[in-house]
Amino acid sequence: MTRYVLGRFAGIIGVLFIVSIMIFLMIHTIPGGPFDAMPTTSEFREIPEHIREKLMAKYGLDKPLYVQYFRYMWAALRGDFGISFRYGEPVTDFISRSWPATAQLGLSAMAIGIPIGIGLGILAALRPNTWLDYLTNVVVITTFVTPVFVIAIMSIIIFAVILKWLPSGGWGEPKQWILPTFVYALGQIGGMARFTRASMVDAMQAEYVRTARAKGLRESAVVMRHAFRSASLPLVTLLGPMVVNLLLGSFFIEAIFRIPGIGGQITLALYNRDYPVIMALILLWTFAIAIAYLVTDLLYGVVDPRIRVGGTM
Amino acid sequence: MASELIQEQQTRTYWQDVWQRLRRHRVALVALIVFGLIILYSTGGPLFSSYSVSKTDLRSRLIAPSTEHYFGTDELGRDIALRIMVGGRVSLFVGFSVALVSLLIGVVIGSTSGYFGGHLDSVLMRFTDIMLSIPSLPLLLILSRYGGGSVWSIILILSVFSWMGLARIVRGTILSIKQRDFVEAARMTGARNGRIVFRHILPSTLAPVIVNATLTLGFAIIAESSLSYLGLGVQPPTPTWGQMLIGAQQFMETAPWLALIPGLFLFVTLLCINFLGDGLRDALDPKMTLQN
């Protein structure tokens, strides 16, 4: 078991190194640099050449790429992810400052989306071809095929522009939390309901469910303790990456609803060629996803004793 | 002569079967028709429009849908209907090209990996796994800055990130097929690897490959519009549906049609592709029918 986890960790570190080299090379070779233009109040002004050179030297950007890379990684290994070119503050400060909004949005979307999604999926599987099943299907298909920004814009038009119930953006007062949270949750509801329904339909036809019924268990016990227990297995796979994505934010939701979280920042950082911010955010993301997969695989063993790792490893 | 006749009849009946089953799938049929109309509208429509895609006309800004401009005009006075058509051309072209390119990459990698096995297989599959474990959206964002936002660069970038599923499916199918008797028989008759792969094995992977290509088409259109929406896709003045939504956001209060129309086109197109994919899956291979 310990050996398995250690092995996986080595794999994760390997992937992180590959990703860090790829990203580093990529962002440094895209046309344009961080100090090509100076954002003034409204327009972009050219920065004089001699100042630009000084700035590049100050941040070590005049060195050969491999020197820059090793310097960066050496500092990063000790927890120093550099200073944002744009904000002049350490990237770690910047992330811890903008993360709370993202986390709040993600956690509340999860708290709403996952139970509703699983509930809808179970009910739809138990009562096929009823209005509830059709409703679930509509939600599932809509969220599956529609890009999230289209849903977000449509919901703003309906609830903020036409009905005038809710504000169209911002992140100060609770009223502004409602729309983005629900739009975000809708996607989770769709994803969860889709998988729950599919695996519940399978599970309900299984022999052990018939056995459970035959021995006279209440229907609720049959559904929850027997069918759902095994049907939840594929859901565990889904949950890990989903949690990570929710916690690291959505470019779209945060940009459209003007939420000051980290999701919206990565596009800005790309525009500004803010190398330290891009590197830190993408490495953080890759790491979190890899960890999520690892936790998922370990959780498998908890949910399903048949595939517990370690015994045979 | 006789055997040729029989063979021809068999191939025809398979495709006839497929068509029969697809026709019975009502939703898929409707989706096919609507999707066809959208393609027709965006490819043929501009021929009948007297407006210009990029020329601005400040006197006719933000006109609500009317007889003259049935989808209205945008903040620069451009006819939205025409921009929808041209944007549709771009989005659909990108979508189909990405589906095609990633199909080629996926089939080549998947079949090489599955057929030859061994070290080659493990190297290729490790590579596929790494590609899958890299979060694609941020990478897409970075890479999209390379080509300067030309249609071709977007197609290339999206294709690089969408072949993995196909490669795995092809590999899986080939692994299960290559042990079958008819492949062994082909090898006995002295057929070369290339002939075995192309004539005997790949046709069996056709059904999952077509279905997966449909999914990729939908994915590519979503990804293209997402990049465009973030301002990182195909660059103006070439319109795309995603790009039309960026500008629209400032005018949601005063001119909601600006956002509604491209949003609706995007939604309906993707809905059609999804239903078509479902229908094709059922039609191409009845065994693959989802159990729900």
Side-chain angles (χ1 to χ4, degrees):
Chain A
M1 184 68 187
T2 329
R3 232 184 102 193
Y4 173 75
V5 175
L6 285 180
R8 286 288 298 266
F9 256 110
I12 290 175
I13 289 169
V15 167
L16 276 179
F17 264 103
I18 295 173
V19 171
S20 73
I21 293 173
M22 280 172 66
I23 306 283
F24 200 84
L25 280 177
M26 277 181 207
I27 54 181
H28 281 85
T29 47
I30 345 170
F35 304 113
D36 288 354
M38 181 79 176
T40 55
T41 43
S42 62
E43 72 210 62
F44 281 81
R45 186 162 53 85
E46 289 288 310
I47 292 181
E49 187 57 31
H50 62 282
I51 298 182
R52 201 177 74 87
E53 271 168 18
K54 270 200 185 128
L55 277 168
M56 296 289 274
K58 183 187 165 201
Y59 287 101
L61 294 171
D62 51 347
K63 302 274 187 315
L65 262 188
Y66 68 93
V67 176
Q68 289 186 42
Y69 176 77
F70 282 115
R71 271 192 180 180
Y72 178 84
M73 284 313 281
W74 182 239
L77 284 177
R78 288 170 298 149
D80 173 11
F81 287 90
I83 289 172
S84 161
F85 299 156
R86 169 98 176 164
Y87 303 99
E89 62 177 329
V91 174
T92 40
D93 287 7
F94 163 79
I95 289 178
S96 53
R97 178 167 55 85
S98 40
W99 192 64
T102 300
Q104 187 200 331
L105 178 66
L107 286 176
S108 31
M110 215 152 53
I112 298 169
I114 293 175
I116 295 184
I118 292 182
L120 269 183
I122 293 179
L123 290 175
L126 294 181
R127 311 210 186 320
N129 302 320
T130 57
W131 64 269
L132 199 75
D133 189 22
Y134 295 132
L135 174 78
T136 311
N137 223 352
V138 168
V139 173
V140 165
I141 292 174
T142 310
T143 53
F144 185 65
V145 303
T146 325
V148 63
F149 59 88
V150 174
I151 297 184
I153 290 178
M154 295 299 157
S155 73
I156 291 179
I157 291 183
I158 295 171
F159 294 104
V161 177
I162 298 176
L163 296 173
K164 295 192 194 313
W165 286 352
L166 296 162
S168 63
W171 195 251
E173 40 180 326
K175 222 179 165 185
Q176 293 169 322
W177 298 344
I178 301 174
L179 207 49
T181 307
F182 272 92
V183 169
Y184 213 177
L186 197 65
Q188 323 309 322
I189 295 176
M192 280 322 247
R194 178 188 178 90
F195 282 90
T196 312
R197 185 184 181 282
S199 52
M200 273 305 273
V201 167
D202 280 351
M204 289 305 285
Q205 287 161 353
E207 295 288 331
Y208 57 81
V209 167
R210 193 186 301 172
T211 313
R213 277 214 186 98
K215 70 182 184 189
L217 281 185
R218 273 174 297 116
E219 187 63 18
S220 61
V222 173
V223 171
M224 289 319 292
R225 268 205 247 126
H226 293 259
F228 181 67
R229 179 102 195 260
S230 72
S232 63
L233 198 60
L235 295 181
V236 174
T237 336
L238 203 65
L239 222 52
M242 189 168 152
V243 170
V244 171
N245 283 331
L246 282 170
L247 289 183
L248 291 180
S250 153
F251 304 123
F252 299 105
I253 302 268
E254 293 190 4
I256 293 170
F257 290 101
R258 302 192 301 277
I259 297 165
I262 44 178
Q265 294 294 344
I266 197 163
T267 21
L268 256 182
L270 271 167
Y271 272 124
N272 300 325
R273 303 285 186 278
D274 200 341
Y275 301 149
V277 175
I278 305 174
M279 279 296 281
L281 287 182
I282 292 184
L283 287 181
L284 181 69
W285 192 333
T286 315
F287 180 67
I289 293 222
I291 292 288
Y293 277 119
L294 176 58
V295 173
T296 305
D297 288 353
L298 294 179
L299 265 184
Y300 253 178
V302 179
V303 187
D304 186 350
R306 281 171 304 182
I307 42 172
R308 204 156 279 168
V309 249
T312 52
M313 298 290 285
Chain B
M1 181 68 194
S3 70
E4 266 181 339
L5 267 178
I6 291 167
Q7 206 178 15
E8 196 186 13
Q9 209 168 11
Q10 274 172 345
T11 22
R12 235 179 39 216
T13 45
Y14 174 68
W15 289 108
Q16 276 174 347
D17 268 4
V18 168
W19 177 235
Q20 281 300 323
R21 284 195 290 261
L22 191 65
R23 262 189 16 197
R24 250 181 289 142
H25 209 291
R26 273 290 154 66
V27 186
L29 200 64
V30 174
L32 183 66
I33 293 168
V34 175
F35 190 44
L37 286 177
I38 290 175
I39 293 177
L40 211 63
Y41 178 71
S42 43
T43 46
L47 303 175
F48 304 100
S49 175
S50 51
Y51 301 105
S52 154
V53 186
S54 49
K55 220 174 89 189
T56 57
D57 177 6
L58 293 181
R59 277 167 309 166
S60 49
R61 304 174 66 222
L62 300 176
I63 296 177
S66 58
T67 47
E68 202 179 331
H69 299 277
Y70 56 89
F71 283 156
T73 61
D74 67 4
E75 73 274 19
L76 295 172
R78 297 170 297 195
D79 183 50
I80 291 182
L82 179 62
R83 287 177 64 76
I84 285 282
M85 298 173 210
V86 178
R89 278 182 179 180
V90 178
S91 299
L92 292 170
F93 180 69
V94 170
F96 277 109
S97 312
V98 171
L100 194 71
V101 175
S102 62
L103 187 134
L104 287 178
I105 306 178
V107 166
V108 168
I109 291 193
S111 51
T112 318
S113 191
Y115 186 73
F116 292 107
H119 287 303
L120 193 60
D121 178 39
S122 38
V123 169
L124 286 176
M125 279 302 113
R126 201 79 344 234
F127 177 58
T128 311
D129 287 344
I130 290 178
M131 289 299 287
L132 275 173
S133 73
I134 295 173
S136 60
L137 193 55
L139 269 194
L140 284 179
L141 297 182
I142 296 178
L143 283 172
S144 63
R145 309 304 285 161
Y146 269 113
S150 76
V151 174
W152 297 109
S153 68
I154 300 293
I155 291 173
L156 187 72
I157 292 161
L158 290 181
S159 306
V160 167
F161 282 99
S162 29
W163 55 267
M164 289 85 80
L166 254 162
R168 287 181 132 187
I169 289 175
V170 172
R171 173 178 176 270
T173 321
I174 286 185
L175 280 182
S176 71
I177 288 174
K178 76 171 180 187
Q179 305 297 344
R180 298 263 280 280
D181 291 342
F182 69 90
V183 177
E184 202 51 44
R187 198 169 286 130
M188 286 304 177
T189 60
R192 292 213 190 91
N193 281 335
R195 187 181 164 82
I196 294 177
V197 170
F198 283 107
R199 290 298 300 257
H200 299 280
I201 294 184
L202 278 183
S204 317
T205 64
L206 199 62
V209 163
I210 290 180
V211 173
N212 199 276
T214 328
L215 285 178
T216 311
L217 173 63
F219 158 80
I221 292 179
I222 292 182
E224 183 275 321
S225 65
S226 305
L227 282 181
S228 290
Y229 180 76
L230 292 171
L232 300 166
V234 178
Q235 293 299 309
T238 313
T240 72
W241 290 344
Q243 206 191 87
M244 292 173 77
L245 281 166
I246 318 174
Q249 246 183 290
Q250 300 160 7
F251 301 97
M252 273 188 298
E253 304 271 345
T254 48
W257 63 89
L258 242 62
L260 275 176
I261 292 161
L264 218 60
F265 266 87
L266 209 48
F267 174 64
V268 173
T269 307
L270 290 167
L271 204 60
C272 288
I273 294 173
N274 181 60
F275 285 136
L276 203 56
D278 280 356
L280 278 175
R281 185 188 52 215
D282 296 349
L284 284 169
D285 188 355
K287 278 175 294 183
M288 281 205 304
T289 308
L290 221 61
Q291 284 98 24
N292 55 2

